Amino acid sequence: MTAPLLDAHLVADRGAFHLDVRLRIAAGETVALLGPNGAGKTTALRALAGLHPLSAGHLTLGGVDLDRPGRRVWTPPERRPVGVVFQDYLLFPHLSARDNVAFGPRRRGADRRTARARADGWLDRVGLAGQARHKPRQLSGGQAQRVALARALAVEPTLLLLDEPLAALDARTRLDTRAELQRHLGAHPGATLLVTHDPLDALVLADRLVIVEHGRVVQEGDAATVTARPRTDYVARLVGLNLHRGHADGHAVTVGGLTLTTADTVHGDAFVAFPPAAVALHRGRPDGSPRNVWPATVTGVQRHGDNLRVQLAGPVDVAADVTPAAAAQLGLRPGQPVWAAVKAAETRAYPA
Amino acid sequence: MTRPARRRQRVPLALLLPAGLGLLFLVLPLAGLLVRAPWTTLPRRLAQPGVLTALRLSLETATAATLLCVALGVPLAWLLARVEFPGRRLVRALVTVPLVLPPVVGGVALLLVFGRRGLLGSWLDTTFGVSLPFTTAGVVLAEAFVAMPFLVIAVEGALRGADPRYEEAAATLGAGRWTTFTRVTLPLVAPGVAAGAVLCWARALGEFGATITFAGNYPGRTQTMPLAVYLALETDVQAAIVLSLILLTVSVAILAGLRDRWVGTA
């Protein structure tokens, strides 16, 4: 494998918060930096853009050190080949859409005519040729997002950074814009980093996910691996799985006083994961078939899509999805004792 | 007074009474000017040559002082709002000193620095042969000294209110600090600069104490309208009223015109 286009070890401090994240992105690759609020996603993005200095580590883009405190190397943001789409776009309110997009090329040496021609080209590509003369306040949310994307791409950045690019849009616009964004990111020859807390954005737009919590990478890999084998509660919740950590011995995983039988074979510390839909609820103890069965207490019931999601307390706390009909039959309400059952074939165990 | 019916809010008398008195206190003197104005002899008095000279000098020096304040005050406001440096709080306090200083004291201080034997004045005199006191340039200097804090405070407030992330966005697009300032920051705070300039101009137009101390009272050279009013009051009350009326009309007309254009959008 050739050297990645972006090779970064971002160590930065912001007050008491400490960030320590390694990132490698190949040319043409899109990586999603996913994490809960306050995980350090935005600090990482600002460090890459040069808006927040590294306290240690390094940032190498296309073989050139942009920031390496150890050797006193520092490149100010205006001299980095980096384009940023900010969360609320930050389009200059006093400039038209065209002049917003032309701003970058103009600052990087193009004369006015060339810069405007290039801006028109980019506006055309994002389907906004007709809005070139509009001021940002005359644009809809989706249009403003596309102008912001065109503005960032117009400087032909080696590294494109997107900070929650779809967060400010309503659900309907988000769907269209996401599809269009996917097309543009696919055409971008440089490296792309997408910062988001929306797993759907990450799964649709990115080739690879990097998950950060408390300023550290907790898991990374392609979408299939991350969704099938979550390693933290945050990731498990994100992909909608029950996740428990325990000790495995072959097909048996001991989790908090309960031994679950799984289809996979693992030894030592292990995770066991299963979807809420795999948890069946019964009034009495079910018999027959080699199942994982345990007594539990209902702690809460919420709507979840067409089904109901039932929170259970017991030897392990899990979520179960049941149909409204089944819930009516069971008469589910908080405090009620039930029996929970999970088939071994529906659980997945993997080393911790 | 007839007005479209609207929901009447109960206003406590304890607030309404002092508010009404305050308004009366502000408006009554202006009404007094209008009542006592010598309307019959007004056209003849306006045509007197000294009146127009003083008015023109006032408008010219106030405008020049405002330009000077904008040229120096906007960068100063930017420094205070955007750059962290030791002693920034002290500098901010120093900038507002002319606000609380009696203008006459300001004039004396200017004399000590720019006077013929002042700290800078003697050097200016011997090196360039330039002497500022008792000249029109001295009037501009005195007015700028007194009016600059108004501009700096207004612009600094506008800069603090402007989202600095726009400047970060400009930086990621390749703009250095100077380009960012001229292309992004300044357009964003333009309404604040305009409001500050208007305040600054109004203060400069009414300047009296520092001007008479530092620049004296020479008709045609340093005698601005407020000085002319004061002088006229000694000899001819009617003339003083006429001059006051002119100053009032011109400043209100210009401020109202500017307000609609700029300040209203701030």
Side-chain angles (χ1 to χ4, degrees):
Chain A
M1 189 182 147
T2 54
L5 193 58
L6 170 75
D7 177 11
H9 179 200
L10 307 174
V11 182
D13 292 281
R14 204 192 60 220
F17 179 79
H18 183 70
L19 178 82
D20 188 337
V21 167
R22 284 176 192 275
L23 277 176
R24 294 169 141 241
I25 309 179
E29 190 186 25
T30 301
V31 168
L33 196 63
L34 194 64
N37 287 333
K41 307 186 296 286
T42 299
T43 306
L45 179 135
R46 290 175 61 81
L48 289 168
L51 299 171
H52 194 106
L54 293 186
S55 44
H58 68 272
L59 164 49
T60 310
L61 187 60
V64 179
D65 275 353
L66 294 183
D67 194 351
R68 192 183 281 272
R71 288 187 209 151
R72 298 181 163 272
V73 174
W74 160 257
T75 310
E78 64 266 25
R79 289 212 292 273
R80 297 185 179 204
V82 175
V84 188
V85 176
F86 291 90
Q87 182 170 1
D88 31 13
Y89 318 137
L90 298 177
L91 296 177
F92 304 128
H94 58 288
L95 297 180
S96 66
R98 172 195 283 145
D99 288 338
N100 262 284
V101 180
F103 190 91
R106 191 90 176 83
R107 299 286 89 75
R108 292 182 192 222
D111 61 59
R112 183 175 305 217
R113 186 194 293 256
T114 315
R116 287 209 162 161
R118 210 182 291 173
D120 285 339
W122 277 104
L123 285 174
D124 192 35
R125 277 213 218 170
V126 299
L128 288 175
Q131 277 76 25
R133 286 164 172 278
H134 288 198
K135 289 279 173 68
R137 69 185 131 82
Q138 297 169 295
L139 299 171
S140 71
Q143 290 171 340
Q145 198 274 348
R146 280 139 75 193
V147 174
L149 180 67
R151 184 174 73 170
L153 287 172
V155 297
E156 288 164 2
T158 310
L159 173 64
L160 177 66
L161 303 170
L162 302 119
D163 189 4
E164 305 273 6
L166 302 171
L169 302 176
D170 61 72
R172 173 90 192 91
T173 318
R174 191 180 295 191
L175 206 64
D176 297 339
T177 312
R178 189 187 287 130
E180 217 201 319
L181 188 56
Q182 187 183 18
R183 193 162 59 78
H184 291 299
L185 296 189
H188 177 54
T192 305
L193 182 79
L194 167 76
V195 162
T196 180
H197 69 272
D198 184 343
L200 192 55
D201 289 348
L203 295 176
V204 172
L205 297 172
D207 303 308
R208 196 152 55 81
L209 311 183
V210 174
I211 291 144
V212 286
E213 285 180 57
H214 309 298
R216 286 171 194 282
V217 175
V218 292
Q219 187 167 6
E220 62 178 298
D222 58 31
T225 313
V226 171
T227 50
R229 300 184 153 202
R231 302 191 69 84
T232 71
D233 283 340
Y234 167 74
V235 185
R237 257 203 316 282
L238 217 57
V239 298
L241 288 177
N242 287 301
L243 178 72
H244 295 283
R245 192 185 174 123
H247 192 81
D249 186 14
H251 290 296
V253 185
T254 308
V255 179
L258 181 73
T259 301
L260 294 169
T261 310
T262 72
D264 303 317
T265 313
V266 195
H267 291 276
D269 286 339
F271 285 115
V272 56
F274 49 92
V279 182
L281 300 183
H282 304 272
R283 281 211 140 159
R285 186 188 174 102
D287 32 39
S289 69
R291 280 172 151 183
N292 300 304
V293 178
W294 69 92
T297 310
V298 176
T299 56
V301 182
Q302 293 148 16
R303 273 193 68 94
H304 188 259
D306 289 338
N307 291 327
L308 295 174
R309 174 154 292 181
V310 183
Q311 301 294 336
L312 299 169
V316 291
D317 292 349
V318 301
D321 283 357
V322 297
T323 62
Q329 210 177 355
L330 289 162
L332 291 178
R333 50 186 163 61
Q336 193 196 336
V338 291
W339 285 85
V342 180
K343 284 181 188 153
E346 296 196 77
T347 63
R348 187 165 278 131
Y350 43 93
Chain B
M1 281 215 305
T2 55
R3 277 199 177 171
R6 59 170 190 181
R7 218 154 18 106
R8 280 185 65 105
Q9 286 179 318
R10 269 193 169 278
V11 181
L13 198 65
L15 288 177
L16 191 62
L17 202 65
L21 280 175
L23 185 65
L24 212 61
F25 175 62
L26 290 178
V27 173
L28 213 54
L30 301 182
L33 267 182
L34 293 174
V35 170
R36 299 295 296 274
W39 295 105
T40 46
T41 56
L42 196 61
R44 186 164 46 81
R45 286 179 183 275
L46 281 180
Q48 280 174 356
V51 175
L52 282 180
T53 312
L55 180 64
R56 203 176 68 209
L57 188 70
S58 265
L59 294 178
E60 282 171 358
T61 52
T63 305
T66 304
L67 291 177
L68 184 66
C69 288
V70 169
L72 303 179
V74 171
L76 182 55
W78 180 84
L79 206 67
L80 287 172
R82 285 288 189 272
V83 183
E84 297 258 357
F85 59 91
R88 182 160 71 156
R89 294 176 61 158
L90 180 71
V91 172
R92 188 175 292 135
L94 285 175
V95 165
T96 54
V97 163
L99 272 185
V100 293
L101 200 70
V104 175
V105 178
V108 171
L110 283 172
L111 266 181
L112 293 179
V113 175
F114 294 106
R116 207 174 278 267
R117 276 182 231 120
L119 295 170
L120 276 175
S122 57
W123 173 76
L124 281 175
D125 196 17
T126 52
T127 316
F128 301 104
V130 173
S131 175
L132 289 170
F134 312 110
T135 63
T136 308
V139 176
V140 174
L141 211 63
E143 290 179 348
F145 177 77
V146 173
M148 183 117 93
F150 288 86
L151 184 104
V152 175
I153 288 170
V155 176
E156 199 202 338
L159 281 168
R160 288 176 170 278
D163 193 340
R165 293 180 312 145
Y166 283 112
E167 294 164 15
E168 294 183 346
T172 67
L173 291 166
R177 270 197 143 175
W178 170 248
T179 325
T180 302
F181 175 74
T182 56
R183 299 286 162 144
V184 176
T185 314
L186 215 46
L188 282 177
V189 300
V193 174
V198 166
L199 275 176
C200 180
W201 185 84
R203 180 66 188 86
L205 190 70
E207 218 307 296
F208 176 81
T211 310
I212 201 163
T213 315
F214 182 60
N217 186 14
Y218 300 104
R221 194 140 57 92
T222 70
Q223 191 186 77
T224 57
M225 286 295 273
L227 270 57
V229 171
Y230 183 75
L231 200 73
L233 202 58
E234 309 267 275
T235 55
D236 180 0
V237 179
Q238 303 276 301
I241 296 173
V242 171
L243 290 169
S244 305
L245 265 182
I246 293 168
L247 196 55
L248 181 70
T249 313
V250 169
S251 53
V252 166
I254 289 178
L255 290 182
L258 291 177
R259 192 187 174 82
D260 288 345
R261 264 188 77 184
W262 288 332
V263 186
T265 61

